[in-house]
Every structure is written in structure tokens, then in C-alpha cells.
Amino acid sequence: MEGNHEPMPDDGALVKAVLQAFAPEGALAQADPGYLERAPQTELAREIARAIEARRPIVAEAGTGVGKTFAYLVPALLGEGRVLVSTATKSLQDQLFLRDLPHVRDALQVPVQLALLKGRGSYLCLHRLELARRSAALPDRWAVRTLAKIEQWSQATRSGDLAELDGLDDRSPVIPLVTSTRDNCLGSECPSYRSCHVMKARRDALAADVVVVNHHLFFADLALRETGVAELLPSVDAVIFDEAHQLAEAGVQFLGNTLATGQVLDFTRDLLAAGLQHARGLAPWAEVAGGCDRAARDLRLAAAGALREVRGIVKLRWQERAGRPEFQQALQGLGESARAAVQALKTVSEIAPDFPKLQERAEQLARKTGTFAADAALGRVRWIDVGPQQARLVESPLDIRDAMREQLAGAPKAWVFTSATLGEDERLRWFTEPTGLDEAQTLRVGSPFDYAQHARVYVPRVFPRPNEPGHPGAVAQLAARLTAALGGRTFVLTTTLRALQHIGGELHDLLQSQPRPIQVLVQGTAPKRQLMQQFLAEPRSVLVGSQSFWEGIDVPGEALQCVVIDKLPFPPPNDPLVEARVKRLEGEGRSAFNDYFVPEAAVALKQGAGRLIRTESDRGLLVVCDPRLVTMGYGRRLLAALPPMGRLGTEAEALDWLAELAEVPV
């Protein structure tokens, strides 16, 4: 497909340079013999360049295969100003910084300096490594080995970024011991301050032309003014959000208040260690720390209430606990314990730099208990997350509209928001409304892939409804038949963890009884990266995953040719944040179902379906085990949100299509 490389008469120098870069004989083609110009990519790059020149916002949805990363990097690097690029995860940050950015920079031959900036929890803290080496009580021999591995690596690393360490599990108990938090960082009082990896990363970012951050870091800084992004923002000319569909939820997490019992227990441990090391006998440290410890555990018990065994995270409405005397007493007790810690720390504040920092933490805990003891602020919602080890009290805004409007009202700069999935209509209202971008330019650029030829979608009409008890079993049985016909190479995506366990277990039993058994991999049985490695290594396998597998997974080629979705991914109506958003919409006289539930389901469905076709030659089958998609009126909206796949009417047709795909050797 050829692109249109003719600039408009009013286009500036940047647009002309961008169009030339994407031309058949342009810089990208000269740097990459396999380069193919694509009209959608050129169109996207041109509109982003126009937004950068005019210093205005643009919201652009780019279908799978458009090449949106290069479409925003080329104008970003050819422009004259500084650029901040934010993406959804740390792994995407690494990919952008280590692979895509250097490739485009070298192709364009522009002398720009690049920097990568993550949150402090991603960097080794030399001071805490020294403390861990001397005093850490490690839980097992694996932790001892991990600490030894980190010590050896620390001698050679320049960045201190823990992502450099191959095989380091993100869940390792050693990581909190060798990284700092906002609470325990000693700042300029730290004996390792001059060689601090966090400070070096921030200095590099302030000196760079292009800085890569992530959405969580961006909003953490708006809330705390602590990560270095606040210093960067006034100096950049363009801010680009890739994977922007995750922006709103990332922002909501950081723009509220959180009081976690785990946070209190961390404080208690640090308080006791510092007190006994630097000021033994000068305050009743064991008594003060013990009071905070008991108060945290009492609050967790009061938050859990009748819940005994909690496996995942259970989200409770604030009203379910807040009115109970034991909950109020636990909250009050934690406030009193925190204030007692403040008084003890005041007496030793001059002895060591640890103590003023600990006093700040105790004061903050006392303030937060006071916040949650009072009524929630207007326009905010509260809930309680209860997990196996801790409870979190959360107060959150309903969206990021006010925060983003405040940013956009500052010094003029370009704001670019792009993703493969930003809504179901031309105005992309699913994204623009909660982000305060109602007046921004919107652009939808379709995928260049031939879905009509290469993909099919099957929705069984005669099937148990999702609220019927037989639905998970029917999903497992259908998935087993489809997987057997294809010989593996299948994802089963569920909307809940409960369905995940049910479907995963039954699917395992069904496929193990096959003449040639098919391996069943279930989320939660191993780290996500390990499950993906197993899936790719063994073609005769099916992976059953929930929320974290609906997006960000890229399996091109014949390794994945069937995606089964258990039911339409509507938001859970009893979620406190969902309830508050529904209440606001109804208060405005709008239909919560049409204006919230259906758009949310459409975007999530597009994300799940997007796992299927990743390259121009991919072929596959999407199966949605929810008859509402073809029997209810709103189903037409949801089907229209999907790529234009060919429709199959019967299971026999679906099996025939899979048999055709199975003929291609893996």
C-alpha cells in the first residue's frame, strides 16, 4: 500500500521532513532493506507532526500493524524540542529505549541524547544493599543466593537498573531490601548519595533530549512531586503517551490517598532497627514498634471482617466496614500508635539521619488515619482492598479529567495520546471524556491487515448464558474441542479469576485424556514470563489467563491461532469505583449502560481479540462464548468494534476453519 507523501500548502518544515523520512527512498527505507511504506502509518505520522508543530493535543487510535511506534518517534526526533515519552509498563520502556529509539535515531542520523527514567523501586540502593548485607534476615536459601547475585552485579552496573539482572523475579522478597522507597530514602543525608543510581538517572533525564518514562511514574510525580518528572515537564515541547488506553486507570491509582497495613509494618521494622542501632535505651523502641505492629494487624483484621481465607485481592465497599465500631477503633488505634512513634522519634532526631525521615513517615501515617476517619472529599470514592497479607484503604478520584486539564492548561506543548484501542466511535469518547480531552483532535487509523481473508469469529447461539451455573463447564468443553482440532496453539481468556480456575481445571482434565495430550498452562501456577516461554516452546499447549493476558502479549505466526473468550468483559457492577461512575452518569441524566458499560466492554473485547492477529500473514479464529453478542441489540455495537473478521455460524464451520489452519506446519 502506498502512502501519500505530498505535504499540504500550510504544512511546516517538520511535516515535510517526516513525509520524506517515510517515503520509498527515505531515511527509514535506506536503513532497513525490509521497510514497507504503509499509508496508515504515514497518515498517523503526518498528523502527529502537525500536532507537534502547532503544540496542541491529538488522540490517535492506530490499529494493529500500523507501526505507531515509528509513527510518533520519527516526528518526535525530527522536531526541534525536547520530548517526554510515557508508556504503560517498565518492559515496554526497556523495549522503546533499548531497541526502537536507537534504531530510529540512527536511521534519521539525528544527534539526540536519550535517557530512561523509572521509579526508585527499579534501581539498586547502595545504602540499603549494605544494610541488607549486614543485617537482613532472609527467608530461605533462594533469597540468600539472590542477594549474592545482586551484590556481584552491583560491582559492574552503571545504571543500577534491576532489569539488567536476568532471571530476577519481580516478586522476590530481596528486592524491597535493596531498593529505596520515598519513605525510607535518606536523600542527601545518605552515605551513598554521591553514587546514588536514582539521582544519576534523574540527572541523565534532565540533560537528555528524549526521556522515556512510564504512566505510573508520570502520575506518581503529579501526586508526590518526587520522581523527577515534575522537573522535566516544564522543559519539554512534546509529551507522548503510548499505550494510552491504560493512562486513566494508572492515574486514578496515584491521584488518591492510600493507607496500607503493609506500609505500617515496613515502618515498624525500620523504626525498631534504627532505634536499636543508633539510640538503644533512649526510647522504648520495642514498645513503640510493637504498638504500631499490633495496630496494623488489628486494622487488617477489622477490614477483613468475616473473611478468613483470602487468596487474591477482595475489593469491599467502604460502607461495608466503615460504620462498624471495631473498624473505627482500629483506625483510631493506628493513629494513636503513629503519634506515639512521632513523640519517641522527636527525642532522638539529631542522632542519625534515619530518625527525621522516620518521623516524617510516622506523621504521614497519623495524617492518613485522620483522613480516613473523616468523610471522603466531594467527587471521590473510597473502598478497601483486602489481601492475604494486608489491607489497603483507598480514596480515589473517579477519573483523571481535572489532573490532565491542569497539565494541558500550562505552557503550550504538544500532547500525543496513541494506542490500538481508544474507543468505539470516531470521537473516541471512551478515552477523551475521562481524560478531559473532549476538545482534542481525534484520529482513527485502521489496521492494514486483511482480517476478512485471514481471521474468523464464531459466537455460539445455543450456549449457556454467562450467569448460568453450566457456563464455565461449557466454555471448557468447547475450548477442548477447538484446541484438539488445532493441536494446541490456543489462548483461553477469562473475565474473572473464579472462571479461570474452573475452566483451567476442567480443560486440563479434558485434554489430558486425549490420545495425544495437550499441555494446559494456567495463570498463577508460574510467573507470567515463564508461562509464555512454556507456551512458545510447546506448540501442543493451551494457555488459560485472566486480565493480565488480555493485552500486552505478542505471539506472532502459527504459535497462536485460536483465542477463546469466556464472556463479554463488562465491568463488575459491584466494584465501588464502577458504582460511583454509574451514579455520576445517572445524576447527569445519562444511560450508564450505553455510555459506560458497553464502551468499556467494547474496548476490553478489542484488546482480547487483538492477541490473535499480530502480522500480515497471521491467520486465526476468535471465539466468544457469550450468545448475547448475537442475540442482544447492543451486541451489534460490540461486534462493530472488532476488526472485520469473517463470521462463522456453527461449531462445525469453526472446526473446519481450524482444521485448515492445522494443516500449516508449525
Side-chain angles (χ1 to χ4, degrees), residues 530-575:
Q530 184 180 329
L531 287 174
M532 286 305 305
Q533 289 171 343
Q534 290 178 264
F535 180 81
L536 293 170
E538 174 50 70
R540 289 188 64 81
S541 62
V542 54
L543 192 151
V544 186
S546 191
Q547 185 175 5
S548 63
F549 284 88
W550 280 67
E551 58 181 286
I553 301 292
D554 191 11
V555 185
E558 288 81 20
L560 174 62
Q561 292 194 298
C562 183
V563 172
V564 180
I565 293 176
D566 70 334
K567 63 179 180 179
L568 295 176
F570 288 110
N574 57 349
D575 181 288

Side-chain angles (χ1 to χ4, degrees), residues 176-393:
L177 300 176
V178 299
T179 57
S180 68
T181 66
R182 179 173 179 265
D183 289 336
N184 62 33
C185 174
L186 299 180
S188 58
E189 299 294 324
C190 177
S192 301
Y193 182 73
R194 286 183 175 274
S195 50
C196 174
H197 292 300
V198 172
M199 296 309 299
K200 180 182 181 301
R202 292 182 185 171
R203 288 194 299 271
D204 289 347
L206 287 170
D209 303 298
V210 180
V211 184
V212 183
V213 300
N214 59 64
H215 302 343
H216 289 92
L217 184 69
F218 180 85
F219 282 106
D221 198 84
L222 292 191
L224 304 172
R225 305 287 176 182
E226 194 268 338
T227 68
V229 176
E231 298 170 88
L232 281 169
L233 265 180
S235 68
V236 301
D237 300 279
V239 183
I240 301 171
F241 292 98
D242 196 353
E243 299 298 313
H245 65 279
Q246 295 192 24
L247 192 65
E249 292 308 315
V252 163
Q253 289 180 39
F254 282 93
L255 296 176
N257 290 313
T258 302
L259 174 60
T261 58
Q263 177 186 13
V264 182
L265 295 177
D266 288 344
F267 165 75
T268 299
R269 184 189 63 236
D270 294 347
L271 171 68
L272 186 59
L276 296 180
Q277 182 179 350
H278 300 297
R280 186 184 292 269
L282 298 183
W285 300 116
E287 181 182 334
V288 173
C292 291
D293 186 285
R294 284 191 301 275
R297 297 182 192 280
D298 287 346
L299 182 58
R300 196 265 171 202
L301 287 172
L307 297 173
R308 288 295 172 254
E309 291 189 16
V310 181
R311 292 186 178 179
I313 302 295
V314 178
K315 186 176 282 191
L316 302 172
R317 295 182 183 88
W318 182 253
Q319 294 80 359
E320 292 181 59
R321 296 289 185 266
R324 297 185 178 184
E326 61 270 24
F327 183 82
Q328 293 295 335
Q329 289 167 10
L331 200 55
Q332 182 179 347
L334 178 56
E336 291 171 356
S337 298
R339 286 188 286 274
V342 171
Q343 294 306 313
L345 288 162
K346 280 182 177 179
T347 65
V348 294
S349 60
E350 303 297 324
I351 294 177
D354 304 67
F355 292 126
K357 197 68 182 178
L358 284 165
Q359 183 179 328
E360 285 180 26
R361 292 167 68 182
E363 289 169 346
Q364 184 185 51
L365 288 173
R367 281 196 302 272
K368 284 188 174 182
T369 58
T371 296
F372 282 102
D375 292 335
L378 189 65
R380 296 197 162 213
V381 60
R382 282 183 183 172
W383 69 88
I384 302 170
D385 288 334
V386 178
Q389 305 297 330
Q390 72 164 337
R392 295 171 69 247
L393 314 187

Side-chain angles (χ1 to χ4, degrees), residues 518-536:
I518 293 174
Q519 181 182 23
V520 179
L521 306 168
V522 181
Q523 176 185 332
T525 58
K528 182 177 178 181
R529 183 183 301 176
Q530 184 180 329
L531 287 174
M532 286 305 305
Q533 289 171 343
Q534 290 178 264
F535 180 81
L536 293 170

